[in-house]
Amino acid sequence: QAGIATAHPLATKAGEDILAAGGNAFDAAVAISAALAVVEPFASGLGGGAFWLLHEAKNGRQIFVDAREVAPGAATHDMYLDDKGQPRAGATLNGPLAAGIPGQPAGLVHLARRYGRLPLAKVLAPAIRYAEEGVEVTRGMELGLRFRSSAARNSPAFAATYLPGGKAVVVGDMVRHPDLARTLRQIAADGRDGFYRGTVARQLVDGVRAA
């Protein structure tokens, strides 16, 4: 017996599929978190942080996993101040200086390998499939992306995915995430190193520095 509640039916389906494949609740939580990165991009994703509160029935332990994002190593005390020492409006919220080092990928790998039963590649498979095949834009996604579009409009990658031809996606449109699929495949193959080292890490650092 299991109960799953998520913000999107495809995320719930990902959890159900993993439980049916022999995974436990921890595997399902990883599958759901990864799926939400695809179907709820305005509120969830690999680029941020995450928390999980776990209960291990076999020994009664309560466990809190903190995968909050952290400041970059090159962050400085005054990086958000102008020449006069005054805070720059919005600099801590949007744009390259607001980017932290994501914690969610490390959290997903930790959760799967420490508490799950199934291989990470199998647990991430539903999210990879959604990202490659595409998902239909819901009303919630349309509104969420519209809320974020003004802040992210200067991002070529955001525009290419969510503002095709300069117009925001609307309910019923299909959105594919091939880059996200490739990133999830790297994590599935190499664990933490698939995100925090190698090609993905270089692209993230180079992109923020260029911006």
Side-chain angles (χ1 to χ4, degrees):
Q1 298 294 317
I4 298 175
T6 83
H8 195 286
L10 287 179
T12 300
K13 178 73 162 52
E16 291 173 341
D17 288 348
I18 292 304
L19 291 177
N24 61 17
F26 306 126
D27 292 312
V30 173
I32 289 166
S33 297
L36 285 172
V38 183
V39 301
E40 195 185 41
F42 54 91
S44 302
L46 299 183
F51 307 107
W52 290 274
L53 183 60
L54 319 177
H55 170 70
E56 276 192 317
K58 63 183 179 183
N59 52 28
R61 292 178 68 213
Q62 319 300 331
I63 302 157
F64 181 75
V65 177
D66 179 2
R68 187 75 188 195
E69 64 273 30
V70 297
T76 62
H77 177 268
D78 58 355
M79 63 190 290
Y80 299 111
L81 304 180
D82 61 20
D83 295 339
K84 297 180 180 179
Q86 297 301 308
R88 284 187 283 162
T92 62
L93 301 176
N94 298 302
L97 289 183
I101 305 301
Q104 178 160 322
L108 293 176
V109 174
H110 173 80
L111 201 63
R113 292 185 170 171
R114 181 73 179 268
Y115 302 106
R117 294 176 184 161
L118 301 178
L120 186 59
K122 189 172 188 66
V123 175
L124 294 180
I128 293 171
R129 185 173 69 253
Y130 297 159
E132 289 180 335
E133 296 178 357
V135 294
E136 186 173 327
V137 175
T138 63
R139 180 63 172 161
M141 186 188 295
E142 178 186 336
L143 293 175
L145 291 171
R146 186 185 303 170
F147 175 75
R148 293 297 304 160
S149 62
S150 59
R153 191 171 290 275
N154 291 329
S155 165
F158 181 94
T161 303
Y162 302 117
L163 304 170
K167 286 188 172 184
V169 293
V170 296
V171 174
D173 288 346
M174 292 294 293
V175 177
R176 295 178 61 250
H177 301 83
D179 291 334
L180 177 55
R182 283 190 287 271
T183 300
L184 287 167
R185 286 192 180 279
Q186 285 292 114
I187 296 172
D190 300 323
R192 289 170 53 103
D193 286 349
F195 187 89
Y196 297 97
R197 296 182 183 275
T199 302
V200 173
R202 283 194 298 271
Q203 288 177 324
L204 290 170
V205 172
D206 290 347
V208 171
R209 285 178 174 170

